Amino acid sequence: MSGDRVIFEEGQIGRRSNHQAPKVMVDCDLPQAFLRSRPPPLPEVSELQVVRHYTLLSQKNFSVDTQFYPLGSCTMKYNPRVCNTMAMLPGFLGRHPLEPDQTGQGVMASLFELQEMLASVSGMAGVSLSPMAGAQGEFAGVSMIRAYHQKNGDTERIEMLVPDAAHGTNPATAALCGFRVREIPTDENGDLDIVSLKGAVGPQTAGLMLTNPSTLGVFERRVEEIIAIVHDAGGLLYYDGANLNAITGRTRPGDMGFDAIHINVHKTFSTPHGGGGPGAGPVGASQRLKPFLPVPMVTCDRVGGEPVYRWLNQDDCPDSIGQLSAFMGNIGVLLRAYVYLRMLGGAGMRRVADYAALNANYLLAKLTAAGFTPAFPNRLASHEFILTLKPEADNFGVTALDFAKRLLDYGFYAPTIYFPMLVPECLLIEPTETESKEELDRFVAAMVAIRQEAIEDPKLVKEAPHNIPVPGGGPGRLDETQAARKPNLIWQKD
Amino acid sequence: MSGDRVIFEEGQIGRRSNHQAPKVMVDCDLPQAFLRSRPPPLPEVSELQVVRHYTLLSQKNFSVDTQFYPLGSCTMKYNPRVCNTMAMLPGFLGRHPLEPDQTGQGVMASLFELQEMLASVSGMAGVSLSPMAGAQGEFAGVSMIRAYHQKNGDTERIEMLVPDAAHGTNPATAALCGFRVREIPTDENGDLDIVSLKGAVGPQTAGLMLTNPSTLGVFERRVEEIIAIVHDAGGLLYYDGANLNAITGRTRPGDMGFDAIHINVHKTFSTPHGGGGPGAGPVGASQRLKPFLPVPMVTCDRVGGEPVYRWLNQDDCPDSIGQLSAFMGNIGVLLRAYVYLRMLGGAGMRRVADYAALNANYLLAKLTAAGFTPAFPNRLASHEFILTLKPEADNFGVTALDFAKRLLDYGFYAPTIYFPMLVPECLLIEPTETESKEELDRFVAAMVAIRQEAIEDPKLVKEAPHNIPVPGGGPGRLDETQAARKPNLIWQKD
Amino acid sequence: MPFIPHTEKDLQDMLSDIGISSLDGLFAEIPESLCCEAPQLLPALNEMEVSRLMGERAGKDGGMLGFIGGGAYEHHIPAAVWEITTRGEFYSAYTPYQAEASQGTLQVLYEYQSMIAGLTGLEVSNASLYDGASAAAEAVLMAVRCSRKKTAKVGVPATVNPRTIKTIANLIGQQGIELVEISYDLKKGCIDPASLSQYSGNDLVAIIIPQPNFFGTIEDVDALTDWAHGEGALVIGVVNPTSLALLKPPGEWGHAGADIACGDGQPLGIPLSSGGPYFGFLSCQKKWLRQIPGRVVGKTQDRDGNVGYVLTMQAREQHIRRSKATSNICTNQGLMTVAATIYLALLGPSGLLDVAKASLQNSQILKEKLTAIPGVDLLYSGHTFHEFVVKLNRPVDTVLKELYKDGIVAGLPLDSDCLLICVTETKTLEDMERFSNCLETIMSRSFS
Amino acid sequence: MPFIPHTEKDLQDMLSDIGISSLDGLFAEIPESLCCEAPQLLPALNEMEVSRLMGERAGKDGGMLGFIGGGAYEHHIPAAVWEITTRGEFYSAYTPYQAEASQGTLQVLYEYQSMIAGLTGLEVSNASLYDGASAAAEAVLMAVRCSRKKTAKVGVPATVNPRTIKTIANLIGQQGIELVEISYDLKKGCIDPASLSQYSGNDLVAIIIPQPNFFGTIEDVDALTDWAHGEGALVIGVVNPTSLALLKPPGEWGHAGADIACGDGQPLGIPLSSGGPYFGFLSCQKKWLRQIPGRVVGKTQDRDGNVGYVLTMQAREQHIRRSKATSNICTNQGLMTVAATIYLALLGPSGLLDVAKASLQNSQILKEKLTAIPGVDLLYSGHTFHEFVVKLNRPVDTVLKELYKDGIVAGLPLDSDCLLICVTETKTLEDMERFSNCLETIMSRSFS
Ligand SMILES: Cc1ncc(COP(=O)(O)O)c(C=O)c1O
Ligand SMILES: Cc1ncc(COP(=O)(O)O)c(C=O)c1O
């Protein structure tokens, strides 16, 4: 079928969808030296071929719309279709970013209200929507911390503390912001090791980046103490909001004492992941960091009682860390988050955390009862939790990777594996609040069945996947080593 | 997976997507006697469950967007996505049919121009767009013929002639219009048997319904003579336009002398089939039948040079056979046809026929060269053609049905089988102009491979399909006899 | 070439494989006298140009605050409905003749039939007809087939939507069926069961009962059904599907239930679209199953016992039965039933009930507001669902034109001084206030 | 509950399985002092209400005849692009970490990389970055990593889009890299290669070459590239992807070709959307592959030799390399690359060339029309692609405001009397006439 070939292989020299091409009357009069000598090697295919090819390819994906997707740390919950439909209204799509504010009052009203609502949910004093993903939100937050210290002449604070369980973007961002990264270990209950933290802080400490609930799926119980330790040392606190879904309406990073936070709207606010983005990473600031928020932001003036929205730029915010991209951020994504938030309201945001936690703890209880080993048996799960398959690996030679691949055969996407790196053979499982009890029960049944297979027929599990439910069946386990050793990154005519 | 259950089985009592429900403040005050005692047995499911269920179900379909679909007589060509996008613009979707004409000038301009263009393509004097499908177009056409004879006091014309190769809707429609149906046989070259026709016409003849090219995939060469015979006998000529795709821009039914015609826009004008509709069956009339066209139609007045569009109703057209549905027809479908026609223009319409015929004749030549048996070896194919698998059935015991089912395994939808009924073990194959030569070559290869299987391993073919390329694999050959014997038509909780 | 993939080389190679030298040769069998040039149509536009044209045209249309019903109703349509319905796999598939490659469409239709049967309280449903009016015509033809009576008289109340009545008359006109008009109570706006005695012994084959009727009024369906059955006539309910979440379903009317129910499915997630495509639904008691028109999907199995769905009872249909078929319908409104099925699944029983209740509530609110305006009176006293008729003390035409200037399409004029007004869940209190304020202003002006 | 499927019974059963009595119990580990109530947000709306609100807001926005470019460009987007891109399977999938269950996304990305490499004439491409400006920043960081020089000076011409320059400065500000401004020929509006000698021996690690540059002017990329390579500096081309169908690709600049090419992919089928989401592309010569930032997809096989695609060379990335990663990027702009891939497949080489040529042609036409108006002069003499700068003999602000009243957004003001104007294939002759007529009228009025 078409999906098995690459689009280039569908092409024929001279095949054209010319209803897509504009009419050209005068020929180009640019000097030859500026021009391309050969046409670009793009496929020459018909519109039907394109539609068929990419429709079939789409069917080769697992997605939230088709499968349970318990990918820990990623919050793969239902992305309401109405958010897409509304963000794709022609009035929103057609407007150029540099048009006068007058032609964007509709979108700007929504962005302004989104800023306010995110501030309210997170407990921060101000929010800028411009970062384009979580990692850029982190960059904004950490840059603000740096700018703050610089403004205070506190130039010796060159170290950023990062828990060993932190997501990779945390240390990578700290490095990009020019900080030396210092890792803080985690104790056996999944809490940050306070003794080590105390040992690590000092006059060189710019701040600490914390995820809470942590990537271990548990709430950092001594967060107040941690914050006090860092604050007392003159450092600031960064909150990685990727796990905000666990606590919306239950507790607020701002109330905990964090100075900066980013929010993955593509997690908690249910904008789609799109197979890898775009997301958006709005950044929030405490009162002291507010002046440093990245521009642009939307402000609202009242003119004759009517709200008039306007972009704030570096001129309006002289202390701002500035713009982080060419325009105003991933507006279309932010509109989706706005629509979502409007449908949930405050009570709805609390229900998100309540039922995300309910599903996670239920699944944990069921899997534990079925004989699986939780990484932190004495802890409540947050919206996600970790199993270690070390017993299974030791006893039957079947790894977390094998379990993951075999789950695909059962029609489930796999949990996150081997992250966080602290827990051996770990599965990080996040069911989200939008899955039903029946679906969770089916997942438990599949896990139990796979373990039985691991006992009776380990090869079956070790060589999975075998029958991926996509058209054409999908390939078996792919060789990643070969791919990395001899990278084949672009198609070439042979 | 979800697609394997019916939606009802996903439900739980009390599960609600209440963001979809309006707020109700006052309770209903209707007398109890009017009210329903139990809620209707609809599924109680979440939005995610709905989206997942129907997304997965959609993947279980073959469609033009995913597979080659050489279904004869059905013209399964590419349905341009822009036609859908344009017809779904909010301005078009939101307008109530009974609003004043002022709020519908955009849609009415398009419908008016569509009427004119269809008249031009078909060579008819006037067109009404209101019939909702081909069969209703036939009803309109045949009713016009009846009304014409009645208006002329010609009440003895109670017989409608229909070739034996005709589509089932022809005789069914003639009967619905109160005519006695008289079949005219086909000769061995696929032409209408002129001798029989001559013997059949008489003062009782109301008319003849003809498809040209016929359902046998060949052009009715003596159409002028046939028309003269019927006209001379006082009958009128009806053209079943389902096969118009074969001749657009090459010849016109109006020029042939037909009095009435219907057009399947869901064939020639590429509106989608939607798994069984909606289509639209605009009806065209010669000068003498024009007054009888069904209402409503759009007319254009000029007010101060500007066009103003207006619906014509029975009051405007006293001889009209009247309205055939509550409102104005399948407007959304007609808009799609309009967009399509605007993108093709006159030259494009001719190319449609040219390349449809090219693909059909190419496929016929290749399959014949590969040893398959054409039903009419001495004829050119129109946009479709017939193979008879009688040799294969006789020699290997493998039927047209078996070939059809086995083609599904190869990722092709099956041609039309056992229609027209005249040709034993027939495959009616229509590739359409939007398929590429490569795709046709792959189809030929599959046919050849299946015949090889029929020789070597007939069971494989007779028990097909085995591996339908849809998620989950799809069922094997389904038992239609059981289904008809003990109909199970609705889901019930067991 | 738009949508045609052939390169010049393909063309030449294919012509040579066929053994002819040019495209003209493919049409050699068409008599020369009949050959024509490409038609002169409006100039061809590329996709960009046609998109701009259609965008401009769509921009001109609609955009009013609308209170028209009369057979088509504005309801909120969840975004998921059309995002899924227009997926290529549903959109560009044919009628599911090859069942194994069409399980998506077939299972949806099976679920659709189940939902329609459930909503109407009847045992079986077909897989759709063109629209509500043509479905009513098919129901009449079906009733005549079901009946053992010699006559072919069908009672049609004057409370049935006049568009439906005209369509029935036009579609069954050649079948020798007589439509007997049944009159109604001019005070209440619905049929007075007591008045039916005048039609007794008339040998009616069937009667139609609209619920709610054209005026929005709720008919006494139990009494009407029992009367009809007493006369040996079948009962055809013509119903609004939204109302069925709230009102007694046809299957429970009277002692034995209606025999056939039909109606327009448009309120179930189908956009107004200036009139179509909508779809007709039709369900009936099991005993009439073999007379049902149109396609029907059934559940079955493959050799290994795997469940699957197929088109079934095709022996009734035109492609098998030809001139003896139960209907000439072939292409129906398939995709619309996909949308309706998704709509009903998203709403569920309680959601649909809320839509019905909110519509009823809003129409009560608006009714009160409007009739409080001097010169505006309620025409009928019967209970209504989401439509009602008001009588104005000045020409409706003029009033409508004035309201139009305010961006309001106020309703459907019934005659020179009556207006049929509809309100659904889509209208807010402010919308209704805007309407009543504008109307009040207009009515308070002196006649012009 | 919106989007939450739990029934009351589910809730009770699950709590009891967990062994707690209420939802509050799930949050027992949160210190009491930190617990909060549900936040006070704007009131919750149901889907119908929010749809109406957003419909009204969208109705307010845009709708102008626009001639602004400056980094984002209006092009026709074929309908098929977004109908396919927003299919749930692409839309609601995650980054393809489980390759076997993500072949759809992965193969699209592989095709995307191939197309970008082909367009830019380079050997490898990543799978997208946030936007063009941040991609330029990543390119600078990458160039510094690639270079063996001790300094970290990068030449940035003043003809680069100022938004890009600011973004680069903000994103790399903490890496000790010095951005050296390269000046340009104020007559021609592009860099005079001869003037570069002033920067020679400056130990530049890399220079950026914009093509076309911010003023729409075409740079002499061959000379610039050869000069840079002569200095031992890497060349980073910042290019408009549409222009690449027509203009010499970075891989062929000068004798050795640019080392890295990047830019904003928005012109390739991405709606303007008030500024995003767009995407950044980045390609490079194979020798720099190990320094590339962001995700990369590679082709591989399973045990049976079936072809498949996987994320590869992940050892460069944050989730493996952490603080030593080539970039901190994780989520990129995946779905936008799906759209761009479909866009490029639909257009093909000749279609994209036609878009480039039609844009060029229209900008020539408009340039002539506008500069024929008294008081309107061309600022620069260099060759341009689809943007150009005019100088007005009165304040740009006032002129823009007047044109705005005519429904025209005329361009981007560069300073008090200059305007950067863009025309693409989307504008008709009538559109351009409307613009020039309106401008002529305004310019003929006396100063106000
Ligand atoms: C804990 C955590 N932090 C940060 C990120 C980075 O967010 P993004 O992928 O949007 O850049 C992620 C997401 O993958 C995450 O899970
Ligand atoms: C030859 C022929 N005539 C008539 C029809 C009936 O058209 P429709 O299905 O639109 O009612 C068809 C389509 O199936 C056909 O192929």
Side-chain angles (χ1 to χ4, degrees), chain A residues 175-338:
Chain A
L176 187 61
C177 290
F179 288 113
R180 202 161 64 203
V181 175
R182 179 151 177 183
E183 279 204 353
I184 311 293
T186 304
D187 71 20
E188 73 283 3
N189 290 316
D191 289 316
L192 193 71
D193 189 304
I194 299 264
V195 179
S196 304
L197 175 66
K198 282 189 178 144
V201 295
Q204 80 291 355
T205 303
L208 168 68
M209 300 181 78
L210 202 71
T211 312
N212 194 15
S214 73
T215 63
L216 299 166
V218 293
F219 192 85
E220 191 65 72
R221 290 172 287 196
R222 292 165 72 182
V223 60
E224 291 170 298
E225 192 178 342
I226 293 168
I227 289 180
I229 292 168
V230 178
H231 273 167
D232 288 350
L236 297 192
L237 270 295
Y238 183 82
Y239 181 92
D240 176 335
N243 289 345
L244 198 65
N245 207 60
I247 57 163
T248 50
R250 283 287 177 178
T251 179
R252 310 194 306 168
D255 297 345
M256 298 176 202
F258 284 94
D259 299 286
I261 164 180
H262 86 264
I263 294 170
N264 300 60
V265 301
H266 42 303
K267 298 183 177 178
T268 310
F269 298 95
S270 206
T271 69
H273 279 279
V283 62
S286 62
Q287 208 60 49
R288 61 179 146 185
L289 284 189
K290 204 175 156 189
F292 302 95
L293 280 168
V295 288
M297 287 176 280
V298 183
T299 191
C300 176
D301 304 324
R302 297 249 151 211
V303 179
E306 287 300 300
V308 173
Y309 300 94
R310 176 168 63 81
W311 285 110
L312 291 175
N313 286 309
Q314 188 95 46
D315 297 340
D316 308 287
C317 314
D319 281 339
S320 166
I321 58 164
Q323 67 186 77
L324 306 177
S325 61
F327 299 107
M328 293 80 177
N330 283 340
I331 306 270
V333 176
L334 297 164
L335 280 177
R336 286 170 172 81
Y338 174 74

Side-chain angles (χ1 to χ4, degrees), chain D residues 136 140 154-157 160 168 182 191 206-210 234-238:
Chain D
V140 167
V154 175
V156 182
V160 171
I168 295 174
I182 294 180
I191 306 164
I207 77 161
I208 293 180
I209 303 179
L234 272 68
V235 169
I236 301 168
V238 174

Side-chain angles (χ1 to χ4, degrees), chain D residues 121-399:
Chain D
L122 287 161
E123 293 159 288
V124 291
S125 158
N126 76 2
S128 89
L129 296 163
Y130 299 135
D131 77 339
S134 64
E138 292 278 14
V140 167
L141 292 171
M142 178 179 167
V144 171
R145 286 194 301 273
C146 293
S147 165
R148 290 208 198 84
K149 292 195 182 166
K150 295 262 157 55
T151 67
K153 288 191 196 170
V154 175
V156 182
T159 58
V160 171
N161 189 324
R163 292 176 170 268
T164 305
I165 299 179
K166 270 191 224 159
T167 304
I168 295 174
N170 293 338
L171 291 179
I172 67 163
Q174 314 303 335
Q175 297 297 314
I177 298 168
E178 186 189 336
L179 301 180
V180 178
E181 180 172 318
I182 294 180
S183 60
Y184 65 101
D185 181 330
L186 294 174
K187 287 234 179 65
K188 287 177 136 181
C190 56
I191 306 164
D192 177 2
S195 75
L196 289 176
S197 54
Q198 62 184 297
Y199 308 101
S200 284
N202 216 335
D203 229 11
L204 292 176
V205 157
I207 77 161
I208 293 180
I209 303 179
Q211 183 74 323
N213 71 22
F214 178 59
F215 309 120
T217 311
I218 297 178
E219 299 278 4
D220 184 354
V221 291
D222 292 330
L224 300 179
T225 299
D226 287 342
W227 175 82
H229 282 155
E231 293 290 315
L234 272 68
V235 169
I236 301 168
V238 174
V239 291
N240 174 312
T242 308
S243 76
L244 291 180
L246 182 65
L247 301 183
K248 191 180 280 185
E252 297 175 15
W253 290 357
H255 291 99
D259 297 274
I260 305 171
C262 61
D264 202 305
Q266 176 277 326
L268 304 177
I270 314 300
L272 289 168
S273 295
S274 282
Y278 300 166
F279 71 92
F281 60 88
L282 190 148
S283 58
C284 66
Q285 299 198 7
K286 204 163 183 174
K287 62 181 165 195
W288 308 127
L289 176 57
R290 302 279 159 184
Q291 292 304 337
I292 210 168
R295 294 188 189 125
V296 168
V297 172
K299 183 170 166 174
T300 186
Q301 301 189 326
D302 69 6
R303 195 191 2 242
D304 302 325
N306 297 311
V307 164
Y309 304 88
V310 294
L311 290 174
T312 193
M313 303 190 344
Q314 299 191 51
R316 298 163 300 111
E317 291 185 70
Q318 45 75 27
H319 61 285
I320 310 280
R321 250 301 158 67
R322 302 181 71 84
S323 65
K324 303 273 182 303
T326 56
S327 166
N328 72 334
I329 197 168
C330 176
T331 293
N332 57 19
Q333 306 284 110
L335 199 65
M336 302 293 119
T337 67
V338 177
T341 306
I342 298 174
Y343 174 87
L344 287 171
L346 283 171
L347 273 284
S350 69
L352 194 69
L353 182 59
D354 287 344
V355 170
K357 281 185 175 171
S359 300
L360 171 61
Q361 148 198 300
N362 283 350
S363 83
Q364 297 298 357
I365 293 171
L366 187 65
K367 199 192 265 186
E368 277 169 35
K369 277 188 197 297
L370 296 185
T371 53
I373 300 171
V376 181
D377 290 304
L378 209 57
L379 186 64
Y380 298 124
S381 65
H383 291 283
T384 57
F385 176 52
H386 62 6
E387 282 181 286
F388 55 90
V389 182
V390 294
K391 196 174 161 71
L392 308 182
N393 69 1
R394 60 194 64 188
V396 161
D397 259 25
T398 335
V399 173

Side-chain angles (χ1 to χ4, degrees), chain B residues 80-355:
Chain B
R81 295 310 290 186
V82 66
C83 301
N84 182 52
T85 313
M86 291 304 122
M88 300 283 283
L89 288 171
F92 290 137
L93 291 188
R95 182 176 174 271
H96 191 285
L98 304 180
E99 284 188 28
D101 292 346
Q102 289 148 279
T103 69
Q105 291 297 301
V107 64
M108 287 165 77
S110 309
L111 297 178
F112 179 77
E113 291 170 8
L114 180 61
Q115 287 172 187
E116 304 275 295
M117 290 196 287
L118 291 180
S120 177
V121 170
S122 62
M124 305 307 285
V127 164
S128 166
L129 302 173
S130 77
M132 296 206 157
Q136 206 181 45
E138 294 176 33
F139 179 86
V142 176
S143 295
M144 284 158 60
I145 292 176
R146 189 175 179 108
Y148 173 83
H149 290 313
Q150 271 170 358
K151 176 119 189 181
N152 291 341
D154 222 356
T155 50
E156 300 304 297
R157 298 193 173 276
I158 55 168
E159 218 172 69
M160 186 58 70
L161 306 178
V162 177
D164 56 359
H167 192 261
T169 50
N170 291 188
T173 301
L176 187 60
C177 291
F179 288 112
R180 204 162 63 203
V181 175
R182 183 153 172 179
E183 279 203 354
I184 311 293
T186 304
D187 71 20
E188 74 282 3
N189 289 317
D191 289 316
L192 194 70
D193 188 305
I194 299 264
V195 179
S196 304
L197 176 65
K198 282 188 179 148
V201 295
Q204 78 294 354
T205 303
L208 168 70
M209 299 181 79
L210 202 71
T211 312
N212 194 15
S214 73
T215 62
L216 299 166
V218 293
F219 191 83
E220 191 66 69
R221 292 171 285 193
R222 293 165 73 183
V223 61
E224 291 170 298
E225 193 181 341
I226 292 168
I227 289 180
I229 292 168
V230 178
H231 273 166
D232 288 348
L236 297 189
L237 270 295
Y238 183 84
Y239 181 93
D240 176 334
N243 289 346
L244 198 65
N245 208 60
I247 58 163
T248 51
R250 283 287 178 178
T251 178
R252 310 196 302 168
D255 297 345
M256 298 177 202
F258 284 94
D259 299 287
I261 167 181
H262 86 264
I263 294 169
N264 300 60
V265 303
H266 42 302
K267 298 184 177 178
T268 310
F269 298 95
S270 207
T271 68
H273 279 279
V283 62
S286 61
Q287 208 60 50
R288 62 180 146 186
L289 284 189
K290 204 174 156 191
F292 302 95
L293 281 168
V295 287
M297 287 175 281
V298 182
T299 192
C300 176
D301 305 323
R302 297 249 149 210
V303 179
E306 287 299 301
V308 174
Y309 300 93
R310 175 168 65 79
W311 284 110
L312 290 176
N313 285 309
Q314 189 95 47
D315 298 340
D316 307 288
C317 313
D319 281 338
S320 165
I321 59 163
Q323 68 186 75
L324 306 177
S325 61
F327 299 108
M328 293 80 175
N330 282 340
I331 308 269
V333 175
L334 296 164
L335 281 175
R336 286 169 172 83
Y338 174 75
V339 174
Y340 178 74
L341 208 40
R342 285 311 304 268
M343 284 193 291
L344 262 60
M349 284 318 298
R350 179 178 246 227
R351 278 195 302 261
V352 161
D354 285 0
Y355 287 85

Side-chain angles (χ1 to χ4, degrees), chain B residues 15 19-20 59 81 85, chain D residues 1 3 5 47 49 83 89:
Chain B
R15 183 171 288 157
H19 56 287
Q20 293 298 359
Q59 294 184 350
R81 295 310 290 186
T85 313
Chain D
M1 294 172 291
F3 312 119
E47 187 184 304
E49 292 163 336
E83 294 228 355
E89 299 94 322

